[in-house]
Each structure stands twice: as structure tokens, then as C-alpha cells.
Amino acid sequence: MKILPKIIIGIVLAGIGATFGYGLGFRKGLVFSSYIQFIEQEHYQAFAKAQSTMGTNEAKAEAIKQFIFITERRQSSFSPAFTKKTFAVDLLLSYARLAQLAENSSSPEEAKKYLQQAESYCPETGWQECSIEVIKQYSEKVNAIGKTQ
């Protein structure tokens, strides 16, 4: 066999190997990245749950704000498990919970601001109906379910 066909075969095999290796590595990277995101999400959800059960209103608000920060940060990175709708609903409910805490603390202006922020995520949720009133009702339902678990 002449040298040129050997070189061509070598280049083709190297290209196939590189493509396969890159694809496999990319998939493993996505899986690992998603795994880290799930761990981080679970950590902050557990922290927020503990604070909502045991914390003062200030501690609850701080935990929710940290969850919002983490969620907004993750929103810019690709994840097969967390879609735009997932982020929108998480953020909508988080701001609704902050609004409820503000109402409980006799801060109606702050509560209104948080509800408006929650409502700003309505177009991204895919909900058939979404308004401040719907958000309040849904948030109350979700919070009631959380208290029974």
C-alpha cells in the first residue's frame, strides 16, 4: 500500500475518533453539569424549606432571595432538565412568596413590587391564565401542599 492512502485513512480515522470522543465528552459534561445543578437546586430548596419552617420572616426572605439568585444565575446556562418555563414558574412563585412575607410584615408597597415582579414571568410560564390574583391563589395552594408534607 502506498503512503498517500495510509495517510488519508489515518486522517479519516483520527477525524472519526475525534468526533466520537468530543461527542462522548460533551454528553458526559452535560450530564455532570446537570448533576451539579440538581445538587445546588436541592441544597437551596432544602435551605429555603428549613427557613420557611423554622426561620423568622427576615430569614425566610433571605432564603428566598438566595434561591432567586441561584435560579437566575442558572437560567443563562443550558440544561436539559430546566427549561425556560421551569425557571419562570420557580421565579414567579419565589417572588409571590416574598410578596406574602412583605404583606405579613405590613409592607404593602414592597409586596406590590414583588407581585409585579412575579407577574413579569407570566408570558414565559405557558399558563392559560396568569395575573396577580392567579399567582396569589396558586402560591397559596402550593404553600398549603408544602405545609402538609
Side-chain angles (χ1 to χ4, degrees):
M1 192 180 243
K2 294 189 177 187
I3 293 284
L4 186 59
K6 288 181 182 177
I7 292 173
I8 292 172
I9 290 171
I11 290 172
V12 168
L13 290 176
I16 291 170
T19 302
F20 180 73
Y22 176 77
L24 186 62
F26 183 74
R27 285 192 193 132
K28 286 194 178 265
L30 280 178
V31 168
F32 183 72
S33 174
S34 294
Y35 176 71
I36 295 299
Q37 287 180 356
F38 279 122
I39 289 173
E40 186 176 54
Q41 180 80 7
E42 276 300 311
H43 169 74
Y44 279 95
Q45 283 180 341
F47 176 67
K49 177 84 171 165
Q51 292 298 70
S52 72
T53 305
M54 304 299 290
T56 63
N57 278 350
E58 293 79 22
K60 292 174 188 178
E62 180 184 339
I64 294 169
K65 287 176 184 177
Q66 287 175 351
F67 180 77
I68 289 170
F69 173 78
I70 293 297
T71 304
E72 286 175 341
R73 187 181 74 198
R74 279 193 6 250
Q75 198 171 10
S76 63
S77 61
F78 170 77
S79 170
F82 295 105
T83 65
K84 284 185 100 171
K85 289 179 182 169
T86 307
F87 289 123
V89 172
D90 279 350
L91 292 166
L92 179 142
L93 288 173
S94 296
Y95 280 110
R97 288 180 177 124
L98 283 175
Q100 183 62 45
L101 288 172
E103 283 179 14
N104 293 346
S105 299
S106 300
S107 301
E109 286 302 313
E110 189 176 9
K112 182 180 176 182
K113 178 185 80 165
Y114 286 135
L115 285 171
Q116 288 171 341
Q117 185 69 32
E119 189 179 35
S120 73
Y121 289 101
C122 282
E124 299 171 38
T125 62
W127 292 2
Q128 292 178 0
E129 184 181 343
C130 190
S131 65
I132 287 178
E133 194 55 42
V134 169
I135 292 168
K136 283 181 170 182
Q137 290 171 358
Y138 186 70
S139 178
E140 289 171 8
K141 286 179 187 177
V142 171
N143 291 338
I145 291 169
K147 288 179 183 176
T148 62
Q149 294 178 346

